[in-house]
Amino acid sequence: MSSTTARSSTDTSCRNNMSSSKVFEIQTQSHSEILDITGVVQGAIRDSGVQEGMVLVYCPHTTAAITINENGDPDVKRDLLTGLDILSPKRGEYRHFEGNSDAHLKSSLVGASELLVLQEGRLVLGTWQSVYFCEFDGPRRREFIVKIMEG
Ligand code: ZN
């Protein structure tokens, strides 16, 4: 299983609104995988004490991504990876010397961040929605940032 740990935390107050930023480390286990980080994000919100605002989940990597999708049927995560392989195959007319252009393309297709609504101390998510960290060139030690903005 993947482990997720908080590396650092800063809290600042600006114009009477609280802002909290926390960096989490995550060890991915496969070349490509989608990991549910909803509980980690919700834990950061709980620690911040912020009840109302916005939450940015950001991935500072060029071969990984953040997305929101279904948490009911685990085959959805598998199908997302299968579909991304079709959109961005391993082999192609790429030039990038690292040989991981498919992972760079997937990162841009999915996106580096998600912005979520925070109400009454909870993420506003649909019944079947979870927040996911997407690995496209693992296994690696990765980071993601949870920025909580009160307002
Ligand atoms: Zn590369």
Side-chain angles (χ1 to χ4, degrees), residues 31-46:
H31 178 267
S32 297
E33 63 180 321
I34 295 177
L35 301 165
D36 192 334
I37 57 171
T38 311
V40 177
V41 178
Q42 192 60 55
I45 292 166
R46 190 175 54 244

